[in-house]
Amino acid sequence: IRFGAPSALRQFLLFARFVLMNNLLVMVAGQIGLVIFSVVKVIENLSIIILSGISQATSAFVGVFFEEKDNTSIRRIEKQAHIISIELILVLIAGVWLFSDEICMLFGISSNETSLRLQVIDGVRIFSLSLLPSIFCMILTSYYQSTKFTKLANLITANSNFILLLIPAYFLAPNFGINMIWYSFTIAAVGTLIILAAILFINRKEDQSPTFL
C-alpha cells in the first residue's frame, strides 16, 4: 500500500481536481469555461504520454540500481530521462504555440467565434508553459517512489496536482479572470519544486545519502 500510494493518490486527486475545477470554471466563465477546459485537458493528456511514459520507464531501472547501490547509474538514467523529456516537451509546447488555430479547428471552434477562439488559444498556450516544470515533478515522483522515499513522492503528487493548483486558482481567477486558472498549473509545478528543494536543504545534514537527490 505504501509503495503504491503515490500512483493511487494521483488518480484520486485528479478526480477531485476535475470536479472542483469544473465548479470554478462555471463560476468564473460559465459554460464557455468548460469548453476551454476540455481543449486544455486534451493537451494535458497528450503531455502525460511523454511525462508518465518516461518516468515509469525509469522506475524499473532506478529500483534495481538503488538496491545495488549503483548511484552512478541512477544519476545517468535520471539525467537521460530529463533530457529526453525536455526535448519532447519543447516540441509539444512549440506545436501548441504555432498551431493554436488548428487546435481550435479540431474542436470545431471556427474563426467566426472570435472571443471563444482567443480564449482557447490563451488557455492552451498558458497551460503549455507548465509542462517544463512538470517534467521534474513527474520524474522525481517516480524516482522517490522507486527509492522508497514514498512520503516525498506523495508530497510532490499532492502539491503539484491539487493543493498548490487549486488554492491559487480559487483565489486569483474570480478577481483576475479565467487565464489565472491556467497560470495556476505553472504555479503548482514550480511551487512544488521550491518546497521540495527546501525540505531537502533542511534535511541535508540528517541524510547524506548520494541517492537522496
Side-chain angles (χ1 to χ4, degrees):
I1 291 174
R2 187 171 86 248
F3 294 142
S7 298
L9 180 64
R10 183 174 187 276
Q11 296 304 318
F12 172 76
L13 291 180
L14 287 176
F15 165 74
R17 188 191 80 184
F18 183 79
V19 174
L20 293 173
M21 191 73 77
N22 276 2
N23 292 336
L24 177 61
L25 286 162
V26 171
M27 179 178 67
V28 173
Q31 295 300 316
I32 291 178
L34 298 181
V35 173
I36 302 170
F37 186 44
S38 68
V39 182
V40 171
K41 188 65 179 171
V42 168
I43 303 300
E44 182 183 28
N45 290 341
L46 188 60
S47 71
I48 289 175
I49 296 173
I50 300 171
L51 299 178
S52 182
I54 292 176
S55 64
Q56 289 181 19
T58 63
S59 62
F61 294 102
V62 171
V64 174
F65 294 147
F66 177 75
E67 294 298 334
E68 295 177 348
K69 295 180 172 57
D70 185 356
N71 300 328
T72 301
S73 294
I74 289 178
R75 283 192 290 270
R76 185 183 298 120
I77 195 72
E78 288 294 302
K79 181 180 179 180
Q80 290 175 344
H82 279 85
I83 290 173
I84 293 170
S85 295
I86 289 171
E87 290 174 344
L88 293 175
I89 286 297
L90 285 176
V91 172
L92 178 57
I93 293 173
V96 169
W97 280 74
L98 292 173
F99 301 106
S100 299
D101 286 323
E102 286 74 11
I103 291 173
C104 290
M105 291 173 61
L106 284 174
F107 286 85
I109 302 170
S110 66
S111 56
N112 295 327
E113 301 173 279
T114 306
S115 177
L116 176 58
R117 185 172 59 86
L118 291 176
Q119 290 187 71
V120 170
I121 290 174
D122 285 344
V124 295
R125 285 181 173 178
I126 294 170
F127 167 77
S128 70
L129 300 177
S130 70
L131 297 180
L132 273 177
S134 294
I135 291 171
F136 300 93
C137 292
M138 187 73 80
I139 294 179
L140 285 175
T141 299
S142 179
Y143 168 81
Y144 287 124
Q145 188 173 1
S146 301
T147 53
K148 302 178 182 179
F149 294 109
T150 314
K151 289 182 180 178
L152 281 178
N154 288 333
L155 175 77
I156 298 172
T157 299
N159 280 302
S160 62
N161 290 296
F162 193 77
I163 299 172
L164 294 184
L165 173 59
L166 289 177
I167 290 177
Y170 267 87
F171 272 100
L172 298 174
N175 296 316
F176 300 102
I178 190 173
N179 282 346
M180 297 310 301
I181 295 177
W182 319 130
Y183 280 117
S184 295
F185 284 89
T186 301
I187 293 172
V190 173
T192 298
L193 295 176
I194 292 173
I195 291 174
L196 177 63
I199 290 173
L200 298 183
F201 180 78
I202 292 170
N203 289 278
R204 69 194 185 285
K205 293 182 180 179
E206 297 179 11
D207 193 317
Q208 299 296 334
S209 169
T211 61
F212 198 57
L213 292 183

